[in-house]
């Protein structure tokens, strides 16, 4: 009886075990997932009942892919920024006419060499210095002449002997014989020391002549300009070829140089085969005459440029 009971109990246990669902063994955990779980909690991964036991794939590393994407686009942005900066720098180093889309035609200015004022003797003030009451130019007057622009052909006849031009050659710039005689006498009376001159002809046929006349003091030059009426309207002495002239109202004030007095003129129509432009300049003890002439019309821009640059050298 006891044995039958024991056998019945064992049979019942066996039947219950067969009816209970089988529990699969726990899945293997990949090393990567295990490592990640140490940083942040990962959701539980369980196998479906009855599924075969297999390795679970690593959890997608969205944070790393996002980091790589950020780094990649940061690098791209840096490249574009570098290229953009290099392009901007390149544009700032180029002439306007070298930049596509910004090319402009020349405004007529000439290409002059770099201008450098000659050194003053040690301890000597400039002509516009407060301590220089006489307005004396202590630098060599010949070194204060504006150089010819690039491509121009110099007029060697204006070089004179040792760079000093005879007074008669300067007076030849005036039309009337009476004017040449009267002005010549006044130059003697005012104590003219010497004349430095330079001239050239550019490819377009413009002829330029510059004359620098040096006197004893600035007061003498002021008297020559004002009292002797060299620069009145119209000027007292007619420049050769300029029959009817008027004050050049188109000369820009921005082109004026501080401390330098200038009086620009332009021949008015009808002016024959060529037009003449000229300017009187007074700086300290130096009086200057600049003349430009050209067949058809003497262009305003190179004239203004020449007057301004010569004024800067003298000022």
């Amino acid at each position: 009886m006891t044995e039958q009971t024991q056998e019945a109990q064992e049979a019942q246990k066996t039947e219950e075990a067969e009816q209970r669902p089988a529990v699969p063994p726990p899945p293997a955990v990949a090393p990567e997932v295990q490592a990640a779980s140490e940083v942040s909690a990962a959701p539980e991964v369980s196998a479906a009942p009855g599924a075969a036991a297999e390795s679970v794939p690593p959890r997608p590393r969205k944070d790393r892919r996002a980091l790589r994407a950020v780094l990649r686009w940061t690098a791209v942005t840096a490249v574009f920024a570098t290229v953009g900066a290099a392009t901007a720098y390149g544009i700032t180093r180029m002439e306007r006419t070298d930049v596509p889309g910004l090319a402009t035609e020349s405004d007529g200015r000439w290409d002059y060499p770099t201008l450098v004022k000659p050194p003053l003797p040690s301890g000597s003030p400039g002509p516009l210095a407060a301590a220089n009451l006489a307005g004396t130019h202590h630098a060599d007057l010949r070194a204060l002449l504006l150089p010819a622009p690039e491509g121009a052909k110099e007029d060697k006849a204006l070089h004179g002997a040792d760079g000093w031009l005879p007074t008669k050659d300067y007076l030849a710039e005036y039309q009337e014989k009476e004017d040449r005689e009267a002005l010549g006498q006044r130059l003697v009376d005012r104590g003219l020391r010497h004349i430095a001159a330079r001239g050239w002809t550019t490819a377009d046929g413009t002829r330029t002549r510059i004359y620098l006349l040096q006197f004893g003091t600035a007061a003498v030059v002021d008297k020559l300009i004002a009292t002797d009426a060299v620069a009145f309207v119209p000027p007292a002495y007619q420049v050769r070829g300029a029959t009817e002239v008027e004050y050049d109202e188109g000369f820009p004030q921005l082109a004026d140089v501080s401390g330098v007095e200038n009086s620009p003129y332009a021949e008015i129509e009808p002016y024959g085969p060529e037009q003449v432009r000229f300017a009187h300049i007074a700086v300290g003890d130096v009086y200057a005459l600049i003349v430009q002439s050209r067949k058809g019309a003497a262009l305003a821009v190179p004239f203004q440029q020449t007057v301004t640059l010569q004024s800067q050298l003298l000022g």
Side-chain angles (χ1 to χ4, degrees), residues 72-89:
R72 181 171 62 251
W73 284 108
T74 301
V76 171
T77 303
V79 170
F80 277 104
T82 303
V83 172
T87 303
Y89 176 77

Side-chain angles (χ1 to χ4, degrees), residues 57-308:
R59 180 172 59 88
R61 293 181 238 177
K62 294 183 179 180
D63 53 338
R64 295 190 179 184
R65 288 205 302 271
L67 178 60
R68 285 198 296 269
V70 171
L71 293 176
R72 181 171 62 251
W73 284 108
T74 301
V76 171
T77 303
V79 170
F80 277 104
T82 303
V83 172
T87 303
Y89 176 77
I91 290 178
T92 61
R93 301 295 299 172
M94 297 167 68
E95 297 295 334
R96 180 178 176 83
T97 52
D98 293 335
V99 182
L102 295 180
T104 55
E105 294 183 359
S106 171
D107 60 1
R109 283 178 292 179
W110 292 339
D111 292 326
Y112 281 95
T114 301
L115 303 182
V116 179
K117 287 187 177 183
L120 292 170
S122 179
S124 300
L128 300 179
N132 192 348
L133 300 179
T136 304
H137 281 80
H138 293 285
D140 191 323
L141 194 64
R142 294 165 292 187
L144 292 174
L145 280 167
L146 181 66
E150 294 182 11
K153 181 179 180 181
E154 284 213 45
D155 185 355
K156 296 182 179 180
L158 293 180
H159 289 177
D162 296 329
W164 301 118
L165 188 74
T167 303
K168 63 179 181 60
D169 292 344
Y170 164 71
L171 294 173
E173 197 65 61
Y174 294 91
Q175 181 73 37
E176 303 297 333
K177 179 181 178 181
E178 294 79 4
D179 287 348
R180 295 195 295 270
E181 292 176 350
L183 181 55
Q185 186 58 51
R186 280 190 170 149
L187 294 178
V188 173
D189 296 340
R190 301 300 180 197
L192 174 64
R193 296 173 58 188
H194 40 237
I195 302 173
R198 175 168 291 149
W200 61 78
T201 302
T202 53
D204 67 349
T206 301
R207 294 181 58 237
T208 301
R209 287 91 71 197
I210 300 177
Y211 304 93
L212 306 184
L213 290 73
Q214 191 167 30
F215 296 85
T217 64
V220 173
V221 173
D222 291 340
K223 189 171 183 60
L224 180 68
I225 294 294
T227 308
D228 293 349
V230 171
F232 278 5
V233 181
Y237 308 110
Q238 180 185 346
V239 172
R240 186 177 296 279
T243 305
E244 295 290 336
V245 300
E246 64 181 7
Y247 189 82
D248 188 357
E249 298 290 350
F251 197 92
Q253 292 185 350
L254 291 176
D256 293 341
V257 178
S258 178
V260 178
E261 298 293 335
N262 68 63
S263 300
Y265 297 90
E267 187 180 10
I268 59 177
E269 295 181 318
Y271 40 71
E274 68 176 14
Q275 184 188 26
V276 177
R277 293 179 182 269
F278 61 94
H280 299 283
I281 300 175
V283 190
D285 64 345
V286 172
Y287 160 75
L289 174 67
I290 299 176
V291 184
Q292 280 189 354
S293 56
R294 180 175 179 268
K295 185 177 180 180
L299 303 179
V301 171
F303 173 69
Q304 296 165 2
Q305 182 189 17
T306 302
V307 171
T308 301

